[in-house]
Amino acid sequence: MKKSVLWLLMLSQLSLMLTGCGGGGLSPTAAPTEKVRVIEDIPTLAGAEDTLRLRHKKLTEYWTTNESSILYNHYNLYNCEVVKIEDKTYPYRMFIFGETTSDDSNPNKGYDSVFHARGKSLTEWEVWCGNDKWDTSMTPSLWQPILLRADKTFDSIHNGDPSVVYKDGVYYMAFSSVGFDGREPGKTYIINCIMGATSTDGINWTKSEAPIMIWEKEYTEGWVAGEAAPPSTGGYHRPSIIWDEEENKWKMWFDYYLPGTFLSMGYAVNNGDFMDPQDWQLIHAEETPQLRDWPNPEVVKINGKYYAFSDAPGYGSSYGGPQNDRQIVMATSDNGWDWRVVGKMLPEDKKYGTHLPQTYVEEENGELYLYVFYSMVIEENLPKYSETNFMKIPVKTLEEIVSQS
């Protein structure tokens, strides 16, 4: 197995791009203190076990869908990430992003921002409204974002797709960020990247000073506004992070643009500081995706086995509307990079689309359950996510499905 030279090239390019840039770039800083970095071998991919038959295998019957939506009335919110903290009254915390109303009252919000809710249970939520106020009436016009765009070339338009881990009293978030960079005459690059942030209360966040994951050519060969021609690859976005207790490291899966696919899944690890871009090592991306056509990846590790979810495309519109061309699909892996697709779930067959899967694991009455939260399109031909719900499955049932598939 070969060492990662791509990782070192990426850091070199990123440093050139973000030091002393006009239009909101970072200012020059002193050279970083020398430190030991762990460079991992790049595992060779065995090739995903992924066929049309596997992607169409129906698994919905094994899951229990919650009776009614847990968030509703909002204009377009999705990617519902839930974590549990040490709080007797409100042990559940939710992070979700998008737009609360079509006529948003915050002109500085940008296209998308991250919002926050707290819950006494997984079905009872109240959303943060600022000034220590929380809404229990599902009135989205009251909701205020906790993370929104800034003034950097890589962070001026959009913040979203939050993936959150609560560890040792700190919230760690990886999120998608978009900005515009116009330093090249006659061109404006649309910068897509993944940033990090930390918080001790879930409301006040400190962002990373630079993207923690970005394509090395994002500023020179990325998407150009007004041009139809796509880049060769890049556009790292929609992260899913875990803290692997067994291996004592951060792991991140994300999607990115790869010609010939809808979006494909990449992979990175971090043996050091979550917020330091130099500690993130790119493992799989570009021409070596872990799974092709795997947008909005969400990965969880349970009992030593990995499970990946996606709202993968290719199902047609015969299930109730064009939004059901994408459905929630599951894959499994023993090592986190060689995947086998297991099947698909359609938890809300009366809705027009259930997308953006996010996982949560909890013990209930002595039995371990995997929850998958999802966002719903509730009107035909309306690509807005106006409700949120979840489905769950006993982990022992999940393991039986995988072993028999």
Side-chain angles (χ1 to χ4, degrees), residues 142-245:
L142 300 176
W143 305 351
Q144 292 296 314
I146 50 99
L147 198 72
L148 63 164
R149 64 178 181 172
D151 60 352
K152 306 291 179 67
T153 59
F154 49 82
D155 187 27
S156 61
I157 303 299
H158 153 103
N159 284 175
D161 306 300
S163 182
V164 180
V165 169
Y166 184 72
K167 175 179 174 292
D168 300 327
V170 177
Y171 296 88
Y172 295 85
M173 180 191 294
F175 65 96
S176 300
S177 183
V178 177
F180 288 158
D181 181 79
R183 78 190 68 182
E184 186 174 337
K187 286 188 177 181
T188 298
Y189 282 99
I190 304 171
I191 307 303
N192 295 275
C193 62
I194 297 169
M195 292 185 63
T198 58
S199 172
T200 56
D201 61 6
I203 296 171
N204 300 286
W205 291 82
T206 299
K207 293 183 179 182
S208 57
E209 287 296 321
I212 59 175
M213 189 57 54
I214 187 171
W215 182 41
E216 59 174 340
K217 300 178 181 179
E218 193 74 21
Y219 279 78
T220 57
E221 297 182 19
W223 292 94
V224 177
E227 291 188 8
S232 59
T233 182
Y236 298 169
H237 241 44
R238 290 166 283 275
S240 174
I241 57 169
I242 67 170
W243 169 254
D244 194 319
E245 293 281 358

Side-chain angles (χ1 to χ4, degrees), residues 63 78-83 93 95 97 160-166 172-176 237-243 251-256 263-267 290-291 293-302 305-312 326-333 336 339-340 343 345 355-361 370-375 391 398:
W63 295 75
Y78 44 109
N79 197 84
C80 175
E81 175 79 304
V82 173
V83 298
R93 302 301 166 106
F95 302 89
F97 88 102
D161 306 300
S163 182
V164 180
V165 169
Y166 184 72
Y172 295 85
M173 180 191 294
F175 65 96
S176 300
H237 241 44
R238 290 166 283 275
S240 174
I241 57 169
I242 67 170
W243 169 254
K251 297 182 178 181
M252 178 200 295
W253 293 262
F254 56 92
D255 69 22
Y256 66 97
L263 289 168
S264 292
M265 184 168 76
Y267 176 56
Q290 291 189 352
L291 280 166
D293 293 308
W294 203 260
N296 291 302
E298 168 69 2
V299 178
V300 62
K301 187 178 183 182
I302 310 173
K305 187 177 286 289
Y306 298 85
Y307 301 89
F309 295 84
S310 168
D311 49 11
R326 286 162 52 205
Q327 295 187 31
I328 298 175
V329 187
M330 180 175 72
T332 186
S333 172
W339 295 94
R340 175 167 58 90
M345 292 73 70
H355 304 154
L356 288 300
Q358 294 292 114
T359 60
Y360 173 74
V361 179
L370 169 63
Y371 292 76
V372 173
F373 291 80
Y374 52 84
S375 304
M391 55 182 168
L398 182 70

